Amino acid sequence: MNQFTTTTTNSIEGWDIKEYLQPVSSNVVVGANIFSDFAASITDFFGGRSDGYERRLNEIYDQALKALINKARSIGANAIVGVKIDFGEVSGKGNQMFMVSVVGTPVKAVKRGDKAGGGESSSYEVYDGELVERKVRAKNIIERFDSDKPAISKIPENTVNFIVESRLPELCNLVMGLLSVWSMEPASSSKQLALPKYFDNLDTDSAINGLYSYLEKHDIDSDALRRFLKIASDNNLIDYEKLKPLLYNNHLNGRKFALELLRRGKASYSAKEIELLRKYSDDLVGLFQPLGTTDQVKGMFSSTAKEVWVCVCGTKNNQSVKYCGNCYKDNYGFYEAEVKPETVANLIRKRLDVISTL
């Protein structure tokens, strides 16, 4: 299989499929008038057939198939099985468009009996030159811009667009760093608004690994927390196993991130996830301890001291006051609008009760 193979069947004769990857698709949309132009020429028809019409259809199909192959190669596949082609018409607001859609399942396949079937490199493999160049460019971007506090203002817009559309997991750490210091940058720009779309194009496993790994290693601020929660929610990046190191570390906002995702439901729950939820529901409240201290303060006209709680920001607050008068957080580091551990623990228990009845 020196050339990239595509087939409408679910197998490739003489080859063993070692791994099925996420399905890919491509669409080519063109104006319907290109075909009416052919029909207008009577000399183009022979026996009821239009050579020009068929030639144009083949060109569009080849274009869609080439885009499909490029997508598959970019994720490490060397073949596509189960290819399906669909022709259709898209219309609206007085316009008519013609669309060719191609979909298939990328696979990693090895020749039957090949000793390299375990995944090692062998002579049959063909490496996608376009992917190589994209990865080389990514390495150059990382070497130039990646740091503890990268500045998006220093990155050209065309470079940001490349990062967003790259589908390369190695750029995830840089993207997370840029999103973390967003609030320190000048007023919002098109580059800042585009960055979260990087996760729309990244495969789910890579997005989860990159997002959770960064949060495990970095103590982020509240602005970055909200940004990452939106990314996780919009892209359904909820992994209960990956939440474990975030819940049991010393970064408050990392624990808040885990807490917020535990509040959200999932499409399905495995037996392993149910066990994790039981553990989390038991541990959640104890994981969040008071951050401040207590002190004795004497009144201006009284010799009697009264007890106050001292917020981590240094402000002394009456015991009857739940939220600090300076930073507006409680003694556990939560704003009033933020979800609390007790609330999430109770919600998890209710979910587990329902699951136990199914």
Side-chain angles (χ1 to χ4, degrees), residues 62-99:
D62 289 342
Q63 184 180 348
L65 186 60
K66 183 177 179 180
L68 191 76
I69 291 172
N70 287 338
K71 286 184 178 181
R73 275 180 167 157
S74 72
I75 57 176
N78 64 341
I80 305 176
V81 298
V83 174
K84 295 181 180 178
I85 307 111
D86 184 47
F87 297 86
E89 187 176 313
V90 181
S91 61
K93 295 184 179 180
N95 297 317
Q96 283 188 314
M97 307 293 284
F98 190 81
M99 181 170 69

Side-chain angles (χ1 to χ4, degrees), residues 70 72-77 127-137 162 166-168 170:
N70 287 338
R73 275 180 167 157
S74 72
I75 57 176
Y127 297 95
D128 180 19
E130 189 269 340
L131 176 61
V132 171
E133 293 309 308
R134 283 198 296 119
K135 285 183 169 288
V136 168
R137 184 176 178 184
F162 168 79
S166 68
R167 306 189 303 277
L168 296 176
E170 54 262 46

